[in-house]
């Protein structure tokens, strides 16, 4: 399976079963591991519409059981990210909430992306979390279990809830110290 990916570093391990669509649009860094039932989906053609997906996963990323990453645009996961079980990360929706769209069966609606998902380095994503399109999670953040992330959060954030809210932040941590 390693040869099917666009690029894949050493130390690669995906437990079986795994469900991979569009592997040629997926880059995986060094020391990647995932537990069973990983779904990586990079769709370049759906319902007659062409997309240019890219999933980019950094070094030292670990993904637990039953995770699903779906992409028609871009999903970028930084280095040293830990993803708990049953996490869903997507950059797209099946249609929109307009009346015309709602009259169509969901499978026939055009798939739309509001923007990429970017997850910074050293992020821990808790059990059952959902990360929606057009979201950036800053580095060194923690996402609580079952959170639904619908907006951006800065580095060093602790977030949780439905929808996810900022519980704690360390906004000055990266700033240089003045003597």
């Amino acid at each position: 399976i390693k040869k099917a990916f666009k690029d894949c570093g050493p130390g690669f391990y995906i437990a079986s079963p795994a469900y991979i669509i569009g592997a040629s649009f997926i880059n995986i860094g060094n020391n990647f591991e995932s537990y069973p039932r990983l779904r990586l989906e990079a769709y370049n053609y759906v319902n007659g519409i062409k997309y240019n997906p890219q999933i980019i996963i950094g070094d030292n990323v670990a993904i637990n059981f039953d995770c699903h990453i779906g992409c028609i645009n871009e999903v970028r996961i930084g280095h040293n990210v830990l993803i708990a079980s049953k996490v869903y990360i997507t950059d797209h929706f099946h249609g929109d909430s307009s009346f015309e769209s709602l009259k169509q069966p969901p499978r026939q609606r055009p798939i739309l992306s509001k923007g990429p998902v970017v997850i910074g380095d050293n992020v821990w994503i808790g059990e059952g979390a959902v990360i929606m399109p057009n979201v950036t999670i800053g580095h060194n953040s923690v996402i609580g279990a079952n959170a639904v992330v619908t907006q951006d959060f800065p580095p060093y954030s602790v977030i949780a809830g439905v929808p996810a809210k900022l519980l704690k932040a360390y906004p000055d941590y990266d700033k240089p110290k003045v003597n």
Side-chain angles (χ1 to χ4, degrees), residues 4-134:
F5 290 99
K6 184 173 184 180
D7 192 22
C8 195
F12 173 87
Y13 175 75
I14 293 181
S16 181
Y19 309 95
I20 313 296
I21 295 172
S24 64
F25 302 101
I26 302 171
N27 292 298
I28 297 179
N30 302 333
N31 304 315
F32 173 82
E33 67 176 305
S34 77
Y35 287 90
R37 295 176 303 279
L38 172 65
R39 287 175 57 192
L40 284 177
E41 301 171 345
Y43 291 101
N44 69 324
Y45 190 80
V46 179
N47 292 337
I49 300 172
K50 184 165 177 30
Y51 302 98
N52 295 305
Q54 61 175 348
I55 297 174
I56 301 165
I57 299 174
D59 297 338
N60 307 310
V61 171
I63 300 177
N64 271 284
F65 296 86
D66 301 303
C67 290
H68 178 189
I69 299 171
C71 176
I72 63 167
N73 180 2
E74 180 179 3
V75 173
R76 185 178 297 267
I77 298 172
H79 304 298
N80 307 307
V81 172
L82 177 60
I83 301 175
S85 297
K86 299 178 182 160
V87 170
Y88 177 49
I89 300 169
T90 186
D91 70 354
H92 61 279
F93 298 104
H94 282 270
D96 57 34
S97 59
S98 70
F99 181 71
E100 290 303 313
S101 181
L102 294 176
K103 289 193 303 186
Q104 294 179 304
R107 287 190 69 181
Q108 294 176 6
R109 295 175 193 161
I111 296 176
L112 307 171
S113 177
K114 287 188 174 182
V117 172
V118 178
I119 298 168
D121 296 342
N122 305 315
V123 171
W124 175 23
I125 303 173
E127 181 94 10
V130 175
I131 301 176
M132 299 302 288
N134 198 31

